[in-house]
Amino acid sequence: MTGDRQRVIIMGAAGRDFHNFNMAYRDCAGFEVMAFTATQIPAISGRTYPPELAGPLYPGGIPIRPEEELAELIQKFSVSQVVFSYSDVSHEYVMHKASLCLALGADFLLLGPDRTMLSCSRPVISVCSVRTGAGKSGITRYIAGILKGMGKRPIVLRHPMPYLDLKEGRLKRFGSLADEERCDCTIEELEEFEPLISAGMTVYSGVDYAEVVRQAEAEADILIWDGGNNDLPFLRPDLEIVVLDPHRAGHELSFHPGEANLRRAEIAVINKVDTAAADAVKRVEANIRQVNPRAKIIFTASPISLENAVNIQGKRVLVVEDGPTLTHGGMPYGAGVLAAGKAGVVEFADPRPYARGSLREVFREYPHLGNLLPAMGYSGQQRQELKETIEATPCDAVVIATPADLRRLLDLDKPSVRVTYEIQEVEGHLLKQAIEVFVGRGK
């Protein structure tokens, strides 16, 4: 497949990259995608985007190579176009990648929403964010609860996370925890699906999003897009909501594509106002008004609950936090640290000397983690390494602050307590009222 076709590489992390290919390149005879490159997620490179998903122009599929090989691949295949297709990275980071590609003679592209959003027959509410870990999924649960209370049937469509078998990940539907248990899911998938399922929601995800939408809209009154990281929606929204995190004030203007989400949003939710500094909240509010003065600003809290808090008072604890929030999300702490501090722990155990396997590399790559353990589990082996690291770290108890209950997933022997949070509006019920107005006006 050569001739006059432009040769393309798509840079990704097993999500947006495949969707961009499906929408813009899969059936386009004028382009030949030579490879995907992969980063952020362990062990996703070295595989092949299968021909069953790649389409008839790619009977052998498309190789997925480590991003470290990008320059070599551009030169080897005389690539003329590189498409950047992943999220939650700084603007500076994106331009460094652009500079590399431009120096080698290739165009550097960011595909826009008009080329990559799917149209739906049902109304769509998108819930996106400016950074990973802003509390987006909590807002999704809150909105879904409002819709159910109005007698509607919302279906949640989750950003794809096909880190294991790509063909098996073409379309996934979770209507119960039993569905989740039958699926070979990563911890990150379970962290996203489990709270929604436990709240009575049906969740769809998958690699082939055209098929995902077709299936989901057949059983929904309203679709809720729950975006991954700070990515743009895959669906064309009728109402765009973006969630901001004052614990990282300023990031709403300095991370891709979070700033684009903010500039598009009809509603901007400043979350975590119960734990963030007042001046940080004001800074985020000012930044919203600077770039999107038409957005309706709503403030929410994320009150933290810790079961059996008395069990860790005066104790030495190991805190296990949400993996993506700590790693490429860049947070130096999460709900577990806040809850443990409030409960009166005397010391945070350091897991780094006891880290097993790939977790050692995680601590090297993200030195800001300190003595917090991110819940990494992108494969069965990494899940076992996480369990062994927890069991080997000397502590009195484990504080589980992940959206999915790791005690059930890992069958831990150590005493543990769990941290959860829900969304509360702090100035009346403005978000609830906005959803009611949206439903009332129809699509």
Side-chain angles (χ1 to χ4, degrees), residues 269-440:
V269 178
I270 304 179
N271 192 28
K272 306 181 187 177
V273 298
D274 53 329
T275 55
D279 61 340
V281 174
K282 290 179 180 178
R283 181 183 174 193
V284 171
E285 183 179 4
N287 285 341
I288 296 170
R289 298 193 188 282
Q290 174 189 336
V291 301
N292 187 356
R294 74 184 186 285
K296 181 181 183 65
I297 299 176
I298 294 174
F299 300 90
T300 59
S302 295
I304 297 167
S305 299
L306 175 62
E307 64 176 18
N308 301 320
V310 69
N311 291 351
I312 62 172
Q313 185 176 7
K315 300 290 181 65
R316 183 175 192 259
V317 301
L318 171 63
V319 177
V320 185
E321 300 272 21
D322 172 58
T325 299
L326 292 188
T327 54
H328 52 267
M331 278 288 283
Y333 59 87
V337 169
L338 297 174
K342 187 175 180 180
V345 303
V346 296
E347 186 180 356
F348 293 106
D350 188 349
R352 287 172 291 187
Y354 310 95
R356 299 293 195 260
S358 62
L359 289 178
R360 299 192 193 101
E361 179 57 34
V362 170
F363 281 114
R364 282 193 292 268
E365 185 174 354
Y366 302 100
H368 74 275
L369 293 174
N371 56 3
L372 300 182
L373 181 59
M376 308 295 286
Y378 293 107
S379 65
Q381 178 179 344
Q382 195 172 52
R383 187 184 297 190
Q384 181 62 28
E385 292 166 354
L386 178 63
K387 174 181 170 67
E388 291 175 1
T389 300
I390 293 172
E391 300 289 8
T393 302
C395 62
D396 299 314
V398 182
V399 176
I400 305 293
T402 55
D405 192 346
L406 290 185
R407 298 172 299 185
R408 181 176 63 84
L409 300 175
L410 301 182
D411 191 25
L412 298 174
D413 294 328
K414 287 192 170 183
S416 61
V417 296
R418 182 151 184 243
V419 176
T420 57
Y421 73 91
E422 294 296 337
I423 297 297
Q424 290 183 359
E425 297 200 55
V426 299
E427 293 183 349
H429 296 88
L430 298 180
L431 183 54
K432 182 175 185 291
Q433 291 168 11
I435 299 302
E436 290 170 345
V437 169
F438 170 76
V439 172

Side-chain angles (χ1 to χ4, degrees), residues 13 39-42 86-90 93 130-133 158-159 161 163 188 191-192 228-231 248 251 255-256 322-332 362 365-366 368-369 374 376 378:
T39 189
Q40 288 187 340
I41 309 303
Y86 58 98
S87 55
D88 210 31
V89 289
S90 70
Y93 177 99
V130 296
R131 287 302 312 273
T132 294
R158 187 64 179 77
H159 193 284
M161 295 173 282
Y163 306 141
E188 183 176 353
E191 286 181 339
E192 300 299 340
N229 284 352
N230 62 347
D231 203 357
R248 289 169 285 181
H251 287 205
F255 275 75
H256 171 78
D322 172 58
T325 299
L326 292 188
T327 54
H328 52 267
M331 278 288 283
V362 170
E365 185 174 354
Y366 302 100
H368 74 275
L369 293 174
M376 308 295 286
Y378 293 107

Side-chain angles (χ1 to χ4, degrees), residues 86-107:
Y86 58 98
S87 55
D88 210 31
V89 289
S90 70
H91 292 331
E92 182 180 16
Y93 177 99
V94 176
M95 285 311 301
H96 281 309
K97 298 300 180 183
S99 296
L100 169 64
C101 297
L102 297 175
L104 294 171
D107 296 339

